[in-house]
Amino acid sequence: MRNDDKASIIYGVSAIPDNFLIDRNGIIVGRNLRGNDLNRKLSELMPVANTVYKK
């Protein structure tokens, strides 16, 4: 990554891939969530969706 990239400086991204979970207000509510951690966070944020979709 370039050292002068404004977005990487603002969000602290130092490598790709990097992911962010952003709520409807534009607030970062999760970062680098994968697998079960991502599923838990999504269930927390969208409990109705969790009851509709189950593996």
Side-chain angles (χ1 to χ4, degrees):
M1 298 208 88
R2 294 183 358 221
N3 291 336
D4 64 342
D5 184 63
K6 287 182 183 181
S8 66
I9 293 168
I10 291 169
Y11 295 106
V13 175
S14 60
I16 297 175
D18 203 351
N19 68 55
F20 297 88
L21 186 59
I22 302 171
D23 72 7
R24 65 179 68 198
N25 299 311
I27 305 297
I28 297 172
V29 294
R31 182 171 179 190
N32 290 325
L33 298 174
R34 291 177 175 76
N36 288 334
D37 292 334
L38 176 59
N39 288 333
R40 273 191 293 276
K41 189 65 173 181
L42 290 172
S43 293
E44 174 189 318
L45 296 171
M46 303 183 321
V48 174
N50 188 38
T51 62
V52 175
Y53 175 77
K54 294 195 181 232
K55 281 187 172 182

